[in-house]
Amino acid sequence: MKKWTLLLVLIFSLQTTTSARSLETPPIPKERIAIVVLDNPQSPQDIQLLIKPYKDIHLRHVFQEAIYGFSVEGNPESIEKLAQQNSKQIISVSPVNQYKAQGEEGVKIIGGEEIRGLFDKQNRRLTGKGVTVGVIDTGVDYTHPDLKRNFAGGRDLVDNDADPMETKTLGRATVHGTHVAGIIAANGKLKGVAPDAKILAYRALGPGGGGTTENVLAAIEQAIKDKVDIMNLSLGNDINGPDLPISLALNRAVDRGIVAIAASGNSGPNVWTVGSPGTASKAISVGASTPTIEVPYLLIEGMRDKLRIQPLEGSANWDLDRSYSIVDGGIGTVGDLKDVMGKIVLIKRGKITFSEKAKNARDAGAKAVIIYNNLSGGFMGNLEEKIDIPVGSITKKDGELLKSKTNTLATINISEEKDLLADFSSRGPVTDTWEVKPDIVAPGVAINSTIPGGYLSLQGTSMAAPHVAGACALIKQAHPEWTPDQIKAALMNTAKPLEKNGKLYRTYEQGAGRIQVIEAVKATSLVSPSSLRFGKFESEGDNHKTFLHVENLSDKPVRYTFDIPKQADGLKWRFPLAFTLVPGETRDVKLELEVNPVELKGKIHDGYLTIHAGANPIQIPYIYVLEEPNYPRVMGFDFKDGDQQGTYRYEVYLPGGAEEFGIALFNPDDFRFVGFLDTNQNVKKGLVSKVITEENLPPDGVYLAKVFAKKAGKEDFIETMLVIGEVVR
């Protein structure tokens, strides 16, 4: 079936409806490639025998390290039969999902410079020496002067060879893996968190930064075989589930003694947006915080409130020293930018890239550029190259307000911000397991690092995760005997919980808080698990029991006590009495939580339990989920121009996620099905955002679109009219 791209979309109506006539949607196309997870290891010969009865299925890959399983390609119905008829051996069959790639100030803020004054047991400075980090990403430019001394080899799982170089194809070139590797272990003009750690590069994401479940699983498999100490995955998808194959593979890697780090995703600030593999229980899932940054605010004559501007990476500083007039610059084409000399230009997002908008405005004499979103909320972005005028973004709401104030004077006020949660950082909790994710946060905004041919400042949880990978390398050097669980506990037990305006972020937004690597290295008491989930409400008088494993790694006896949490209606805690552990002693202690759901307010209850290890407080984030409300399956559909010419973006909110999601097009006269604009399966909870590129188009005309989501046997949908092609008026 053809996949189509909309040239132009006009929304005539938007409503959730059950229509008198029925829009019959055919089944969405099923994937022809799948990952099969087995309950026990099987040889390639046994697997060939298993699939032999299914003549239209062929074997693609066998996995024995990352997971027990294999991938197949063939008729979707035959793949279903394979699963059904071998259910005793097969745990799950999953479609092959798409995964994509998600400076010194960051190193400094987590304590990466100060830690150089500490030494390991061999009297070597803590620099990551002797530790190997596997970077599963877009490859690494191992010829970069800041990386070549640390590069120790790797594998290309896209082209299946031994050369993990970044993609250099014109128009599809990548820089992501080199940037990530530099944050971990740059050792030249820039210094990474662990500048003496060895980097093994695994190219799992190819041209343009995209890859599949197979590629990433193969990379994890190879990294396990290569016995890396740490693996970093600054990649992910939007599926919030704990049991996707890559999440399972990371759990397996941890069981093999490897510290696994995964970016939580860039789909914040809504809850339920953390994506796989950041949902893996045993991995360290990392969200993004801000290092010390200067944030410009716009003050408009006649307005009391100031508007926050998000600087785009690559723009000049917002150090404007006087008032300037605001003018409307349309979408930023050359023809839109009239009479902008010496003024601040307001430009709408869409149609052309941020860089094109900024260059056009600069060439027309503009003093600064503000780009406002064309969908709800704000956004962060990067310019393709540096520009010598300030460029920033604001929300759609602020942009529309500012548009009504054009030709008035505005001034810029600069405010310093530090240790805030980045808006884009994905939030938890994880579906089904109700776990606190991300586990911790690290700097992920305006991070300068290596790229092929030079250096660039980027942002995302992709930049936060390698800060944690580098920190783990330092901890591993200092404590080579520590297990992955102990390293994770050290980071989380000593993290700094972040707050905004005097109020702590929720645990499922920041986990334990922002990492502090010196405190983690010096930790002498460890408590695991380092976050607690008490599950979801099941029955009246819900009772939950859990155990904490407490270790005294110091050379002195330590007394442990618990703080009683702030009283909350409907929750009753029971803690153990104070106890003392001698050096090297461990103890499992029981905690109990009794819940009365009638009294409990709110659907998600979370906070921090405080354990005092002598004079040192250790905070353990916890979460308890009351039964979720019966949300409609789909709401808030919107469709606008993309940032590249000929591309478009849609957003839709799925409060409970969906087993099947699609946008079906119908003839509005006779309601005949015409084709799918987009389809997907097992979609995350929360906001779904996607760019649709120009490929095959339906004929120009007016279509009735049905935006639907199915889950647990129920379907909800939105109907809206779409106009494809230019509209003659």
mmCIF file with all atom_site columns, all heavy atoms in Angstrom, residues 10 27 42 67 73 80 115 170 220-221 228 261 298 302 430 510 521 537 577 603 674:
data_model
loop_
_atom_site.group_PDB
_atom_site.id
_atom_site.type_symbol
_atom_site.label_atom_id
_atom_site.label_alt_id
_atom_site.label_comp_id
_atom_site.label_asym_id
_atom_site.label_entity_id
_atom_site.label_seq_id
_atom_site.pdbx_PDB_ins_code
_atom_site.Cartn_x
_atom_site.Cartn_y
_atom_site.Cartn_z
_atom_site.occupancy
_atom_site.B_iso_or_equiv
_atom_site.pdbx_formal_charge
_atom_site.auth_seq_id
_atom_site.auth_comp_id
_atom_site.auth_asym_id
_atom_site.auth_atom_id
_atom_site.pdbx_PDB_model_num
ATOM 1   N N   . LEU A 1 10  ? -5.560  21.575  5.979  1.00 0.00 ? 10  LEU A N   1
ATOM 2   C CA  . LEU A 1 10  ? -6.431  22.558  6.610  1.00 0.00 ? 10  LEU A CA  1
ATOM 3   C C   . LEU A 1 10  ? -7.429  21.790  7.449  1.00 0.00 ? 10  LEU A C   1
ATOM 4   O O   . LEU A 1 10  ? -8.100  20.886  6.955  1.00 0.00 ? 10  LEU A O   1
ATOM 5   C CB  . LEU A 1 10  ? -7.181  23.391  5.560  1.00 0.00 ? 10  LEU A CB  1
ATOM 6   C CG  . LEU A 1 10  ? -6.303  24.185  4.586  1.00 0.00 ? 10  LEU A CG  1
ATOM 7   C CD1 . LEU A 1 10  ? -7.194  24.938  3.614  1.00 0.00 ? 10  LEU A CD1 1
ATOM 8   C CD2 . LEU A 1 10  ? -5.423  25.157  5.338  1.00 0.00 ? 10  LEU A CD2 1
ATOM 9   N N   . PRO A 1 27  ? -7.732  -3.605  8.505  1.00 0.00 ? 27  PRO A N   1
ATOM 10  C CA  . PRO A 1 27  ? -6.608  -3.858  9.422  1.00 0.00 ? 27  PRO A CA  1
ATOM 11  C C   . PRO A 1 27  ? -5.362  -3.101  8.970  1.00 0.00 ? 27  PRO A C   1
ATOM 12  O O   . PRO A 1 27  ? -5.094  -2.988  7.772  1.00 0.00 ? 27  PRO A O   1
ATOM 13  C CB  . PRO A 1 27  ? -6.398  -5.376  9.320  1.00 0.00 ? 27  PRO A CB  1
ATOM 14  C CG  . PRO A 1 27  ? -7.697  -5.910  8.814  1.00 0.00 ? 27  PRO A CG  1
ATOM 15  C CD  . PRO A 1 27  ? -8.269  -4.850  7.930  1.00 0.00 ? 27  PRO A CD  1
ATOM 16  N N   . GLN A 1 42  ? 18.943  -21.720 22.354 1.00 0.00 ? 42  GLN A N   1
ATOM 17  C CA  . GLN A 1 42  ? 18.889  -22.801 21.379 1.00 0.00 ? 42  GLN A CA  1
ATOM 18  C C   . GLN A 1 42  ? 19.967  -22.560 20.330 1.00 0.00 ? 42  GLN A C   1
ATOM 19  O O   . GLN A 1 42  ? 20.291  -21.417 20.014 1.00 0.00 ? 42  GLN A O   1
ATOM 20  C CB  . GLN A 1 42  ? 17.510  -22.886 20.713 1.00 0.00 ? 42  GLN A CB  1
ATOM 21  C CG  . GLN A 1 42  ? 16.392  -23.303 21.654 1.00 0.00 ? 42  GLN A CG  1
ATOM 22  C CD  . GLN A 1 42  ? 15.111  -23.650 20.900 1.00 0.00 ? 42  GLN A CD  1
ATOM 23  O OE1 . GLN A 1 42  ? 15.143  -24.006 19.732 1.00 0.00 ? 42  GLN A OE1 1
ATOM 24  N NE2 . GLN A 1 42  ? 13.977  -23.536 21.580 1.00 0.00 ? 42  GLN A NE2 1
ATOM 25  N N   . ILE A 1 67  ? 19.978  -11.520 24.090 1.00 0.00 ? 67  ILE A N   1
ATOM 26  C CA  . ILE A 1 67  ? 18.756  -12.240 24.465 1.00 0.00 ? 67  ILE A CA  1
ATOM 27  C C   . ILE A 1 67  ? 18.913  -13.662 23.949 1.00 0.00 ? 67  ILE A C   1
ATOM 28  O O   . ILE A 1 67  ? 19.804  -13.963 23.157 1.00 0.00 ? 67  ILE A O   1
ATOM 29  C CB  . ILE A 1 67  ? 17.475  -11.607 23.850 1.00 0.00 ? 67  ILE A CB  1
ATOM 30  C CG1 . ILE A 1 67  ? 17.594  -11.564 22.313 1.00 0.00 ? 67  ILE A CG1 1
ATOM 31  C CG2 . ILE A 1 67  ? 17.167  -10.246 24.429 1.00 0.00 ? 67  ILE A CG2 1
ATOM 32  C CD1 . ILE A 1 67  ? 16.322  -11.164 21.599 1.00 0.00 ? 67  ILE A CD1 1
ATOM 33  N N   . GLU A 1 73  ? 11.981  -13.002 8.926  1.00 0.00 ? 73  GLU A N   1
ATOM 34  C CA  . GLU A 1 73  ? 11.238  -12.191 7.970  1.00 0.00 ? 73  GLU A CA  1
ATOM 35  C C   . GLU A 1 73  ? 10.309  -13.110 7.199  1.00 0.00 ? 73  GLU A C   1
ATOM 36  O O   . GLU A 1 73  ? 10.693  -14.225 6.829  1.00 0.00 ? 73  GLU A O   1
ATOM 37  C CB  . GLU A 1 73  ? 12.179  -11.478 7.005  1.00 0.00 ? 73  GLU A CB  1
ATOM 38  C CG  . GLU A 1 73  ? 11.461  -10.576 6.004  1.00 0.00 ? 73  GLU A CG  1
ATOM 39  C CD  . GLU A 1 73  ? 12.407  -9.766  5.145  1.00 0.00 ? 73  GLU A CD  1
ATOM 40  O OE1 . GLU A 1 73  ? 13.635  -9.954  5.286  1.00 0.00 ? 73  GLU A OE1 1
ATOM 41  O OE2 . GLU A 1 73  ? 11.934  -8.940  4.355  1.00 0.00 ? 73  GLU A OE2 1
ATOM 42  N N   . GLU A 1 80  ? 2.738   -15.238 13.141 1.00 0.00 ? 80  GLU A N   1
ATOM 43  C CA  . GLU A 1 80  ? 1.779   -15.434 14.232 1.00 0.00 ? 80  GLU A CA  1
ATOM 44  C C   . GLU A 1 80  ? 1.601   -16.926 14.531 1.00 0.00 ? 80  GLU A C   1
ATOM 45  O O   . GLU A 1 80  ? 1.544   -17.340 15.692 1.00 0.00 ? 80  GLU A O   1
ATOM 46  C CB  . GLU A 1 80  ? 0.432   -14.806 13.868 1.00 0.00 ? 80  GLU A CB  1
ATOM 47  C CG  . GLU A 1 80  ? 0.406   -13.284 13.959 1.00 0.00 ? 80  GLU A CG  1
ATOM 48  C CD  . GLU A 1 80  ? -0.978  -12.720 13.734 1.00 0.00 ? 80  GLU A CD  1
ATOM 49  O OE1 . GLU A 1 80  ? -1.960  -13.489 13.783 1.00 0.00 ? 80  GLU A OE1 1
ATOM 50  O OE2 . GLU A 1 80  ? -1.076  -11.501 13.498 1.00 0.00 ? 80  GLU A OE2 1
ATOM 51  N N   . ILE A 1 115 ? 37.318  15.687  40.663 1.00 0.00 ? 115 ILE A N   1
ATOM 52  C CA  . ILE A 1 115 ? 37.645  14.296  40.992 1.00 0.00 ? 115 ILE A CA  1
ATOM 53  C C   . ILE A 1 115 ? 39.054  13.918  40.553 1.00 0.00 ? 115 ILE A C   1
ATOM 54  O O   . ILE A 1 115 ? 39.609  12.902  40.992 1.00 0.00 ? 115 ILE A O   1
ATOM 55  C CB  . ILE A 1 115 ? 36.617  13.336  40.355 1.00 0.00 ? 115 ILE A CB  1
ATOM 56  C CG1 . ILE A 1 115 ? 36.608  12.002  41.113 1.00 0.00 ? 115 ILE A CG1 1
ATOM 57  C CG2 . ILE A 1 115 ? 36.911  13.122  38.860 1.00 0.00 ? 115 ILE A CG2 1
ATOM 58  C CD1 . ILE A 1 115 ? 35.461  11.104  40.756 1.00 0.00 ? 115 ILE A CD1 1
ATOM 59  N N   . LEU A 1 170 ? 26.723  12.318  1.756  1.00 0.00 ? 170 LEU A N   1
ATOM 60  C CA  . LEU A 1 170 ? 26.222  13.684  1.667  1.00 0.00 ? 170 LEU A CA  1
ATOM 61  C C   . LEU A 1 170 ? 24.719  13.709  1.909  1.00 0.00 ? 170 LEU A C   1
ATOM 62  O O   . LEU A 1 170 ? 23.960  12.963  1.291  1.00 0.00 ? 170 LEU A O   1
ATOM 63  C CB  . LEU A 1 170 ? 26.543  14.263  0.281  1.00 0.00 ? 170 LEU A CB  1
ATOM 64  C CG  . LEU A 1 170 ? 26.291  15.765  0.111  1.00 0.00 ? 170 LEU A CG  1
ATOM 65  C CD1 . LEU A 1 170 ? 27.190  16.568  1.041  1.00 0.00 ? 170 LEU A CD1 1
ATOM 66  C CD2 . LEU A 1 170 ? 26.510  16.180  -1.340 1.00 0.00 ? 170 LEU A CD2 1
ATOM 67  N N   . ILE A 1 220 ? 24.594  -4.833  20.966 1.00 0.00 ? 220 ILE A N   1
ATOM 68  C CA  . ILE A 1 220 ? 24.655  -5.255  22.371 1.00 0.00 ? 220 ILE A CA  1
ATOM 69  C C   . ILE A 1 220 ? 25.296  -6.638  22.464 1.00 0.00 ? 220 ILE A C   1
ATOM 70  O O   . ILE A 1 220 ? 26.138  -6.900  23.333 1.00 0.00 ? 220 ILE A O   1
ATOM 71  C CB  . ILE A 1 220 ? 23.244  -5.253  23.000 1.00 0.00 ? 220 ILE A CB  1
ATOM 72  C CG1 . ILE A 1 220 ? 22.669  -3.831  23.026 1.00 0.00 ? 220 ILE A CG1 1
ATOM 73  C CG2 . ILE A 1 220 ? 23.277  -5.841  24.411 1.00 0.00 ? 220 ILE A CG2 1
ATOM 74  C CD1 . ILE A 1 220 ? 21.211  -3.760  23.432 1.00 0.00 ? 220 ILE A CD1 1
ATOM 75  N N   . GLU A 1 221 ? 24.893  -7.524  21.560 1.00 0.00 ? 221 GLU A N   1
ATOM 76  C CA  . GLU A 1 221 ? 25.458  -8.875  21.509 1.00 0.00 ? 221 GLU A CA  1
ATOM 77  C C   . GLU A 1 221 ? 26.983  -8.821  21.368 1.00 0.00 ? 221 GLU A C   1
ATOM 78  O O   . GLU A 1 221 ? 27.720  -9.505  22.084 1.00 0.00 ? 221 GLU A O   1
ATOM 79  C CB  . GLU A 1 221 ? 24.833  -9.611  20.314 1.00 0.00 ? 221 GLU A CB  1
ATOM 80  C CG  . GLU A 1 221 ? 25.285  -11.033 20.155 1.00 0.00 ? 221 GLU A CG  1
ATOM 81  C CD  . GLU A 1 221 ? 24.218  -12.041 20.569 1.00 0.00 ? 221 GLU A CD  1
ATOM 82  O OE1 . GLU A 1 221 ? 23.237  -11.646 21.214 1.00 0.00 ? 221 GLU A OE1 1
ATOM 83  O OE2 . GLU A 1 221 ? 24.397  -13.216 20.271 1.00 0.00 ? 221 GLU A OE2 1
ATOM 84  N N   . VAL A 1 228 ? 32.956  -5.491  27.347 1.00 0.00 ? 228 VAL A N   1
ATOM 85  C CA  . VAL A 1 228 ? 33.086  -4.094  27.753 1.00 0.00 ? 228 VAL A CA  1
ATOM 86  C C   . VAL A 1 228 ? 32.691  -3.974  29.224 1.00 0.00 ? 228 VAL A C   1
ATOM 87  O O   . VAL A 1 228 ? 31.942  -4.799  29.760 1.00 0.00 ? 228 VAL A O   1
ATOM 88  C CB  . VAL A 1 228 ? 32.199  -3.159  26.885 1.00 0.00 ? 228 VAL A CB  1
ATOM 89  C CG1 . VAL A 1 228 ? 32.596  -3.238  25.426 1.00 0.00 ? 228 VAL A CG1 1
ATOM 90  C CG2 . VAL A 1 228 ? 30.723  -3.465  27.065 1.00 0.00 ? 228 VAL A CG2 1
ATOM 91  N N   . ILE A 1 261 ? 23.842  1.953   30.354 1.00 0.00 ? 261 ILE A N   1
ATOM 92  C CA  . ILE A 1 261 ? 23.283  3.305   30.483 1.00 0.00 ? 261 ILE A CA  1
ATOM 93  C C   . ILE A 1 261 ? 22.450  3.611   29.250 1.00 0.00 ? 261 ILE A C   1
ATOM 94  O O   . ILE A 1 261 ? 22.892  3.353   28.123 1.00 0.00 ? 261 ILE A O   1
ATOM 95  C CB  . ILE A 1 261 ? 24.392  4.363   30.644 1.00 0.00 ? 261 ILE A CB  1
ATOM 96  C CG1 . ILE A 1 261 ? 25.124  4.164   31.983 1.00 0.00 ? 261 ILE A CG1 1
ATOM 97  C CG2 . ILE A 1 261 ? 23.828  5.767   30.594 1.00 0.00 ? 261 ILE A CG2 1
ATOM 98  C CD1 . ILE A 1 261 ? 26.514  3.714   31.834 1.00 0.00 ? 261 ILE A CD1 1
ATOM 99  N N   . LEU A 1 298 ? 12.153  38.129  27.331 1.00 0.00 ? 298 LEU A N   1
ATOM 100 C CA  . LEU A 1 298 ? 11.713  39.276  26.535 1.00 0.00 ? 298 LEU A CA  1
ATOM 101 C C   . LEU A 1 298 ? 10.717  40.091  27.344 1.00 0.00 ? 298 LEU A C   1
ATOM 102 O O   . LEU A 1 298 ? 9.719   39.551  27.844 1.00 0.00 ? 298 LEU A O   1
ATOM 103 C CB  . LEU A 1 298 ? 11.066  38.770  25.244 1.00 0.00 ? 298 LEU A CB  1
ATOM 104 C CG  . LEU A 1 298 ? 10.781  39.791  24.149 1.00 0.00 ? 298 LEU A CG  1
ATOM 105 C CD1 . LEU A 1 298 ? 12.094  40.284  23.538 1.00 0.00 ? 298 LEU A CD1 1
ATOM 106 C CD2 . LEU A 1 298 ? 9.902   39.176  23.061 1.00 0.00 ? 298 LEU A CD2 1
ATOM 107 N N   . GLY A 1 302 ? 4.208   47.625  28.059 1.00 0.00 ? 302 GLY A N   1
ATOM 108 C CA  . GLY A 1 302 ? 2.785   47.472  28.318 1.00 0.00 ? 302 GLY A CA  1
ATOM 109 C C   . GLY A 1 302 ? 2.384   46.098  28.816 1.00 0.00 ? 302 GLY A C   1
ATOM 110 O O   . GLY A 1 302 ? 1.208   45.865  29.096 1.00 0.00 ? 302 GLY A O   1
ATOM 111 N N   . VAL A 1 430 ? 7.181   3.976   34.197 1.00 0.00 ? 430 VAL A N   1
ATOM 112 C CA  . VAL A 1 430 ? 7.129   2.939   33.166 1.00 0.00 ? 430 VAL A CA  1
ATOM 113 C C   . VAL A 1 430 ? 5.789   2.221   33.265 1.00 0.00 ? 430 VAL A C   1
ATOM 114 O O   . VAL A 1 430 ? 5.324   1.915   34.359 1.00 0.00 ? 430 VAL A O   1
ATOM 115 C CB  . VAL A 1 430 ? 8.284   1.929   33.351 1.00 0.00 ? 430 VAL A CB  1
ATOM 116 C CG1 . VAL A 1 430 ? 8.228   0.839   32.288 1.00 0.00 ? 430 VAL A CG1 1
ATOM 117 C CG2 . VAL A 1 430 ? 9.622   2.652   33.299 1.00 0.00 ? 430 VAL A CG2 1
ATOM 118 N N   . GLN A 1 510 ? 12.747  13.000  37.640 1.00 0.00 ? 510 GLN A N   1
ATOM 119 C CA  . GLN A 1 510 ? 14.197  13.122  37.812 1.00 0.00 ? 510 GLN A CA  1
ATOM 120 C C   . GLN A 1 510 ? 14.852  11.929  38.484 1.00 0.00 ? 510 GLN A C   1
ATOM 121 O O   . GLN A 1 510 ? 16.075  11.907  38.635 1.00 0.00 ? 510 GLN A O   1
ATOM 122 C CB  . GLN A 1 510 ? 14.512  14.369  38.634 1.00 0.00 ? 510 GLN A CB  1
ATOM 123 C CG  . GLN A 1 510 ? 14.013  14.303  40.088 1.00 0.00 ? 510 GLN A CG  1
ATOM 124 C CD  . GLN A 1 510 ? 14.624  15.389  40.949 1.00 0.00 ? 510 GLN A CD  1
ATOM 125 O OE1 . GLN A 1 510 ? 15.749  15.811  40.725 1.00 0.00 ? 510 GLN A OE1 1
ATOM 126 N NE2 . GLN A 1 510 ? 13.869  15.847  41.937 1.00 0.00 ? 510 GLN A NE2 1
ATOM 127 N N   . VAL A 1 521 ? 31.835  8.179   44.206 1.00 0.00 ? 521 VAL A N   1
ATOM 128 C CA  . VAL A 1 521 ? 33.109  7.470   44.381 1.00 0.00 ? 521 VAL A CA  1
ATOM 129 C C   . VAL A 1 521 ? 33.426  7.273   45.858 1.00 0.00 ? 521 VAL A C   1
ATOM 130 O O   . VAL A 1 521 ? 33.945  6.228   46.270 1.00 0.00 ? 521 VAL A O   1
ATOM 131 C CB  . VAL A 1 521 ? 34.253  8.238   43.676 1.00 0.00 ? 521 VAL A CB  1
ATOM 132 C CG1 . VAL A 1 521 ? 35.614  7.735   44.134 1.00 0.00 ? 521 VAL A CG1 1
ATOM 133 C CG2 . VAL A 1 521 ? 34.127  8.101   42.165 1.00 0.00 ? 521 VAL A CG2 1
ATOM 134 N N   . PHE A 1 537 ? -2.568  -0.065  42.530 1.00 0.00 ? 537 PHE A N   1
ATOM 135 C CA  . PHE A 1 537 ? -3.669  -0.436  43.414 1.00 0.00 ? 537 PHE A CA  1
ATOM 136 C C   . PHE A 1 537 ? -4.380  -1.684  42.885 1.00 0.00 ? 537 PHE A C   1
ATOM 137 O O   . PHE A 1 537 ? -4.747  -1.770  41.727 1.00 0.00 ? 537 PHE A O   1
ATOM 138 C CB  . PHE A 1 537 ? -4.659  0.726   43.506 1.00 0.00 ? 537 PHE A CB  1
ATOM 139 C CG  . PHE A 1 537 ? -5.968  0.341   44.152 1.00 0.00 ? 537 PHE A CG  1
ATOM 140 C CD1 . PHE A 1 537 ? -6.012  0.036   45.496 1.00 0.00 ? 537 PHE A CD1 1
ATOM 141 C CD2 . PHE A 1 537 ? -7.135  0.272   43.411 1.00 0.00 ? 537 PHE A CD2 1
ATOM 142 C CE1 . PHE A 1 537 ? -7.205  -0.326  46.093 1.00 0.00 ? 537 PHE A CE1 1
ATOM 143 C CE2 . PHE A 1 537 ? -8.324  -0.079  43.995 1.00 0.00 ? 537 PHE A CE2 1
ATOM 144 C CZ  . PHE A 1 537 ? -8.365  -0.383  45.343 1.00 0.00 ? 537 PHE A CZ  1
ATOM 145 N N   . LEU A 1 577 ? 13.438  -0.756  63.046 1.00 0.00 ? 577 LEU A N   1
ATOM 146 C CA  . LEU A 1 577 ? 14.103  0.028   64.079 1.00 0.00 ? 577 LEU A CA  1
ATOM 147 C C   . LEU A 1 577 ? 15.547  0.301   63.652 1.00 0.00 ? 577 LEU A C   1
ATOM 148 O O   . LEU A 1 577 ? 16.084  -0.331  62.743 1.00 0.00 ? 577 LEU A O   1
ATOM 149 C CB  . LEU A 1 577 ? 14.079  -0.727  65.405 1.00 0.00 ? 577 LEU A CB  1
ATOM 150 C CG  . LEU A 1 577 ? 12.693  -1.030  65.997 1.00 0.00 ? 577 LEU A CG  1
ATOM 151 C CD1 . LEU A 1 577 ? 12.833  -1.919  67.236 1.00 0.00 ? 577 LEU A CD1 1
ATOM 152 C CD2 . LEU A 1 577 ? 11.953  0.267   66.344 1.00 0.00 ? 577 LEU A CD2 1
ATOM 153 N N   . LYS A 1 603 ? -3.609  10.297  41.630 1.00 0.00 ? 603 LYS A N   1
ATOM 154 C CA  . LYS A 1 603 ? -3.465  8.997   40.983 1.00 0.00 ? 603 LYS A CA  1
ATOM 155 C C   . LYS A 1 603 ? -2.058  8.423   41.111 1.00 0.00 ? 603 LYS A C   1
ATOM 156 O O   . LYS A 1 603 ? -1.863  7.226   41.006 1.00 0.00 ? 603 LYS A O   1
ATOM 157 C CB  . LYS A 1 603 ? -3.839  9.118   39.500 1.00 0.00 ? 603 LYS A CB  1
ATOM 158 C CG  . LYS A 1 603 ? -5.298  9.490   39.275 1.00 0.00 ? 603 LYS A CG  1
ATOM 159 C CD  . LYS A 1 603 ? -6.226  8.429   39.823 1.00 0.00 ? 603 LYS A CD  1
ATOM 160 C CE  . LYS A 1 603 ? -7.679  8.807   39.636 1.00 0.00 ? 603 LYS A CE  1
ATOM 161 N NZ  . LYS A 1 603 ? -8.599  7.824   40.248 1.00 0.00 ? 603 LYS A NZ  1
ATOM 162 N N   . VAL A 1 674 ? -9.684  5.149   1.424  1.00 0.00 ? 674 VAL A N   1
ATOM 163 C CA  . VAL A 1 674 ? -8.744  5.501   0.367  1.00 0.00 ? 674 VAL A CA  1
ATOM 164 C C   . VAL A 1 674 ? -7.336  4.993   0.683  1.00 0.00 ? 674 VAL A C   1
ATOM 165 O O   . VAL A 1 674 ? -6.632  4.500   -0.189 1.00 0.00 ? 674 VAL A O   1
ATOM 166 C CB  . VAL A 1 674 ? -8.730  7.037   0.157  1.00 0.00 ? 674 VAL A CB  1
ATOM 167 C CG1 . VAL A 1 674 ? -7.715  7.425   -0.903 1.00 0.00 ? 674 VAL A CG1 1
ATOM 168 C CG2 . VAL A 1 674 ? -10.119 7.537   -0.223 1.00 0.00 ? 674 VAL A CG2 1
#
